[in-house]
Amino acid sequence: MLKWIYLFFCIVSISETIFYSVSTPSKINKKYLYLFSFATLACVSYTIGTFGKTLEGLYYANLMYNIGSIMGDIFLLLVIAELCHFHIPKIVSVLIFLYGVVIILLVALCRYNPLYYRSISYAQYAGVSYLKKVYGPLHVLLYILLFGFNLFSLFIVMYSLIKNAKVSIQMALIIIIIFTINTLSYAVTRIIHFPLDVLPFTITINCGIMLSVLNRLNMYDMSANLLNVYEQRSDYGYIAFDRKKRFMGCNDYAVKLFPSLDGLLIDSYVPKDNERIQNEIFPWLEAWIQGGKKDHVSVCNGYTAVCSIRFITFRKRQIGYLIELKDVSKQQDYINKLNDFNIQLQGEVETKNEKLIKMQSCIISGMACMVEGRDNSTGEHVQRTSAAVAIFMKHLKESPKYSTFSDEFCNDVVQSAIMHDLGKIAVDDAVLKKQGKFTKKDYEKMKKHSEEGAIIVARVLKDVDDSLFKDIAINVAHYHHERWDGTGYPKGLKGTEIPIEARIMALADVFDALVSKRCYKEALSFDEAFGIIKDSLGSHFDPDLGEIFIECRPQLEILYMNEQ
């Protein structure tokens, strides 16, 4: 009966190895595969031995069993270290393997020397054949290996938990349970002098536990699932070319945007009559290679995509180019609706108070043009930031936290954005039109534009009856260079001491400065600009407002693409 139980666990162990190899969604982890393979080798070898009829057969079965169990324990330790994000130095790994090999060699040579086994003989227990062994002095090496692994594994788990590594308490408990089972089973069989080895049972149980853990980890393996996610997304496309611009492949979305890709052979050159690729993609790709335009907007068949390029690398060598296509059709729709909304809102306001709005618009536009005419470093900065604020206010109005913003407040902030830099009128031409970076003295002079701007806006709007609009416009001009951590200017206000309209303006103002070319710097990419803004949340910018501003990225990219 016992031998059939061993056979059952042997079949289960084989099934675990097969299940792991076929259930892994991507590249198989070699450490895990070796763990399951050596565990299966140990179970199969011991099971074969239970059916043995000769001492010779039991000797070889015992040798293979020791190879499987010792190597399985070594790879179990390595797997646990990987699960706990613990780095075992390469020299330590090599020494552990050499230690295991020494024990295996001692087992292999046991018939020729009494160091590991004093003697071996054929025996049976309850109909099960087994190798009866009298242990020699060097058998203690196995005890050192097993209990050393247990202690080392517990150290890895505790160290990872204390250092707050990416290991859960549940994972730590599972690892402790695995080694507790191993230790108790080995100790109990030695204490009660049970002649058979129960390690095949414990190996199978532990591998089953480990298999469930690994399958759960696969759910959270972002690198393993990333390709599957992109393949399933209907709003993402890619086109790949090698360094000679030969076609390397694409997905379905890319074909929707560039139908001429359909039927193009892998490793073939793009035909000359493929006008969209030859006249749109390749010139942009060449400009990107030369360090020019980094992003591109492509439209076809009702689809609008923002295109970006990355190098394809293999073994640290650049072998081609990956063109990523991010569908922004809905966002483009959103922009169009936003424009319609602004037109509708403007029409309604003009109907109610056409004369006042016309007067305000003339004053605001005229003053803004005066600033733009003097400051040759910013281009159409105020127009772009005003459009960016309009996008931002729309998102804020739709968010739960800021849904209480009135339409009047939102419109006033957008209108005030045009006037945020009016104070530059008071800055000397020598500073305002300077080519290159400011000196400390120049910067101090330039900083005065915010206070001067508040004074100018107050004077311009002094006869306007709309007090809310006046307050917002003055605050935007006065405080849009204040920082959330209190290190801004002109007053060094901190946190919510800064009027919210100025905090809104600050995000649009800095974003435009980052992605726009100036006489003293090149324009940054959208990735770099949004990365800087994200890193500055809580220091430069209001973190809550900043998170919503980052969500505006698709609409802002389209806005600035259309401006280029």
Side-chain angles (χ1 to χ4, degrees), residues 48 59 186 189 336 423 434 453 456 479 496 541 559:
I48 291 174
Y59 163 76
Y186 194 84
T189 55
N336 294 336
K434 181 177 181 178
I456 293 171
Y479 302 116
T496 54
F541 306 113
L559 169 67

Side-chain angles (χ1 to χ4, degrees), residues 263-334:
L264 198 60
L265 298 178
I266 302 296
D267 289 331
S268 66
Y269 289 99
V270 177
K272 295 294 184 182
D273 59 357
N274 193 326
E275 295 183 0
R276 287 199 65 211
I277 300 297
Q278 292 287 353
N279 300 332
E280 179 183 345
I281 295 299
F282 283 169
W284 165 59
L285 177 58
E286 283 295 332
W288 180 85
I289 294 171
Q290 300 299 324
K293 188 176 180 181
K294 293 191 175 182
D295 293 304
H296 172 73
V297 175
S298 187
V299 180
C300 183
N301 296 332
Y303 295 96
T304 303
V306 174
C307 312
S308 58
I309 304 176
R310 300 179 188 275
F311 280 114
I312 301 173
T313 59
F314 179 72
R315 294 178 179 174
K316 299 182 179 181
R317 185 168 60 90
Q318 294 173 353
I319 63 171
Y321 312 98
L322 179 70
I323 299 176
E324 295 183 312
L325 315 170
K326 291 178 283 188
D327 190 297
V328 291
S329 303
K330 293 180 180 178
Q331 287 85 347
Q332 183 64 60
D333 242 347
Y334 186 93

Side-chain angles (χ1 to χ4, degrees), residues 114-152:
L115 294 177
Y116 195 76
Y117 297 136
R118 293 186 186 276
S119 63
I120 56 173
S121 59
Y122 176 89
Q124 281 197 336
Y125 176 83
V128 175
S129 301
Y130 71 96
L131 191 67
K132 186 176 181 180
K133 304 175 285 277
V134 177
Y135 299 126
L138 293 185
H139 191 266
V140 70
L141 295 176
L142 181 62
Y143 298 138
I144 294 173
L145 179 72
L146 296 178
F147 288 101
F149 278 2
N150 285 354
L151 292 176
F152 195 14

Side-chain angles (χ1 to χ4, degrees), residues 80-140:
I80 287 171
E82 184 169 308
L83 291 174
C84 294
H85 304 275
F86 182 89
H87 174 68
I88 297 178
K90 187 173 182 179
I91 184 64
V92 175
S93 300
V94 171
L95 291 176
I96 291 173
F97 275 104
L98 290 177
Y99 190 93
V101 170
V102 169
I103 296 177
I104 292 170
L105 289 175
L106 290 172
V107 174
L109 299 173
C110 67
R111 293 195 299 177
Y112 308 105
N113 68 75
L115 294 177
Y116 195 76
Y117 297 136
R118 293 186 186 276
S119 63
I120 56 173
S121 59
Y122 176 89
Q124 281 197 336
Y125 176 83
V128 175
S129 301
Y130 71 96
L131 191 67
K132 186 176 181 180
K133 304 175 285 277
V134 177
Y135 299 126
L138 293 185
H139 191 266
V140 70

Side-chain angles (χ1 to χ4, degrees), residues 509-541:
D509 188 39
V510 172
F511 175 76
D512 184 83
L514 292 172
V515 299
S516 301
K517 183 177 180 179
R518 298 289 172 84
C519 62
Y520 54 87
K521 76 170 189 68
E522 292 295 325
L524 299 183
S525 69
F526 292 123
D527 284 341
E528 292 170 325
F530 280 103
I532 290 172
I533 288 176
K534 185 174 182 179
D535 291 340
S536 301
L537 299 185
S539 56
H540 192 152
F541 306 113

